[in-house]
Amino acid sequence: MRASRLLSLLLLLQTRGDMTATQIAAELEVSVRTVYRDVEELSAAGVPVYAERGPLGGYRLLDGYRTRLNGLTPAEASSLFLAGLPGPAAELGLADLAAAAELKLLAALPPEPRSQAARMRERFHFDVPGWYQGNDEAPFLTDIAEAVWDDRVVRMRYRRWGPAEVERTLHPYGLILKGGAWYLAAACSGSVRTYRVSRILEAEVLDECFERPPDFDLAGFWRRFAADFAARMYTGHAVVRLQPGIEDLLRYTLGRDVVDKALAGGLTDPDGWTRVTLPVESLNHARWQLLRLGASVEVVEPAELRTLMADTISELSRLYG
């Protein structure tokens, strides 16, 4: 533990330059007294670290000194793809490993590329969930991640849509982060399926291991699943008329890709309204989505959806007088 801390201290000085004992203590989450002892131990080991006194003083390395002790451990290397996503890294239990890997990478870079990397971190930040959407509460995410990593069988109790609870024994192949929600790709009963991790009610990682198919491509599987999901989600169509200027709100309500495709095939009436054909999940779902647009949209067909809209508007009229 102390050796790791000494290496972290050395890499901090190499990447940051001048640092006070208080700053180092905050970075390493130790006391200032511990920093004093660690600096003395580095100096005794031959590392050219020295102190500059005064208000602007601090510890620094001799100009030109570079350590070669910046090799990544296997666990740190495995966390590199999450180094720029501290939220997901923390959810998977890899926050400390990702931070250590990032520090070692910075220490290995020459000054100019290191400066560019710092500029990137100062200017770009990734926030995965959409607006007004927090991350899913997924208490078993860390356990599932360990099972994915170790190729171990998982027995779980799962809440399906309905809701209905089922028990499954899975071979977990991989985890996918989509819009702040984690999904598990796992083999069950001879086929690969997806499970929303936040819907796992109980999970037990068994000692039993499984053999992962060597040709399984997680990214390719997810692309195919997403395309198939979109195709299955839209079960019908609705013809509507749109008031000019409502396009952005419609994109926000139904999704940009769906609306842009519909608008590309739309026809403008003499009164300036645009007639488009929209894909819908169900008539009931379409009713609530289109009601958000108020009098800026008119349903032309199917007749069943038009009737649903009229009935709901009549109920609202009775409610509000």
Side-chain angles (χ1 to χ4, degrees):
M1 179 66 179
R2 186 169 187 179
S4 175
R5 190 177 68 243
L6 289 173
L7 178 58
S8 295
L9 170 56
L10 177 57
L11 294 176
L12 277 173
L13 292 175
Q14 183 169 308
T15 56
R16 308 280 182 85
D18 293 333
M19 293 187 71
T20 66
T22 302
Q23 290 172 330
I24 296 172
E27 286 284 348
L28 301 182
E29 298 182 348
V30 297
S31 66
V32 173
R33 186 181 297 273
T34 298
V35 173
Y36 292 154
R37 289 198 301 265
D38 288 350
V39 169
E40 290 178 0
E41 188 163 338
L42 282 178
S43 180
V47 176
V49 56
Y50 64 94
E52 291 184 342
R53 301 187 182 279
L56 300 178
Y59 291 108
R60 64 174 301 164
L61 296 173
L62 185 68
D63 290 343
Y65 177 82
R66 294 183 60 79
T67 178
R68 297 302 176 186
L69 299 177
N70 48 28
L72 296 175
T73 68
E76 290 168 349
S78 68
S79 71
L80 276 178
F81 78 104
L82 287 170
L85 299 171
E91 292 172 5
L92 291 172
L94 298 174
D96 292 341
L97 289 173
E102 185 178 10
L103 180 60
K104 290 183 178 182
L105 280 178
L106 286 174
L109 293 173
E112 184 176 350
R114 187 191 312 155
S115 174
Q116 293 294 325
R119 286 169 59 86
M120 288 285 288
R121 181 162 48 182
E122 292 169 356
R123 289 161 172 78
F124 298 96
H125 176 72
F126 299 100
D127 187 9
V128 177
W131 287 108
Y132 315 114
Q133 298 176 6
N135 289 324
D136 272 7
E137 292 292 333
F140 297 102
L141 177 60
T142 302
D143 296 331
I144 297 298
E146 292 178 356
V148 168
W149 186 253
D150 295 332
D151 294 336
R152 291 169 62 185
V153 178
V154 172
R155 182 184 296 127
M156 72 174 185
R157 186 163 61 89
Y158 185 76
R159 186 177 73 254
R160 299 176 61 182
W161 293 104
E165 296 182 8
V166 296
E167 293 187 358
R168 294 287 185 265
T169 299
L170 309 173
H171 293 179
Y173 288 170
L175 284 164
I176 303 101
L177 179 62
K178 173 69 172 178
W182 287 96
Y183 294 86
L184 172 66
C188 180
S189 302
S191 63
V192 182
R193 308 176 187 178
T194 61
Y195 302 88
R196 190 160 180 159
V197 179
S198 63
R199 289 182 166 270
I200 297 177
L201 304 175
E202 294 178 4
E204 179 185 4
V205 180
L206 307 182
D207 293 332
E208 178 186 355
C209 293
F210 64 90
E211 185 174 349
R212 180 187 175 88
D215 58 347
F216 179 74
D217 175 17
L218 181 62
F221 165 80
W222 183 254
R223 284 194 299 271
R224 292 189 297 273
F225 170 81
D228 181 63
F229 178 79
R232 287 185 287 109
M233 182 172 65
Y234 297 114
T235 59
H237 292 83
V239 178
V240 301
R241 296 176 69 244
L242 303 174
Q243 187 181 51
I246 199 64
E247 294 82 7
D248 284 343
L249 182 56
L250 186 64
R251 291 185 181 96
Y252 178 79
T253 303
L254 300 181
R256 178 172 297 275
D257 291 344
V258 169
V259 173
D260 285 348
K261 185 176 181 180
L263 290 174
L267 297 174
T268 303
D269 293 340
D271 57 3
W273 286 48
T274 302
R275 183 183 296 250
V276 300
T277 300
L278 296 171
V280 297
E281 296 183 35
S282 67
L283 295 182
N284 194 49
H285 191 262
R287 166 177 53 170
W288 299 120
Q289 285 186 313
L290 295 175
L291 280 171
R292 298 176 66 181
L293 305 177
S296 297
V297 61
E298 177 193 359
V299 173
V300 179
E301 56 183 67
E304 295 89 344
L305 178 56
R306 189 177 174 90
T307 300
L308 282 175
M309 298 284 288
D311 290 345
T312 305
I313 294 169
S314 295
E315 292 173 5
L316 290 171
S317 178
R318 286 194 298 270
L319 179 64
Y320 290 101

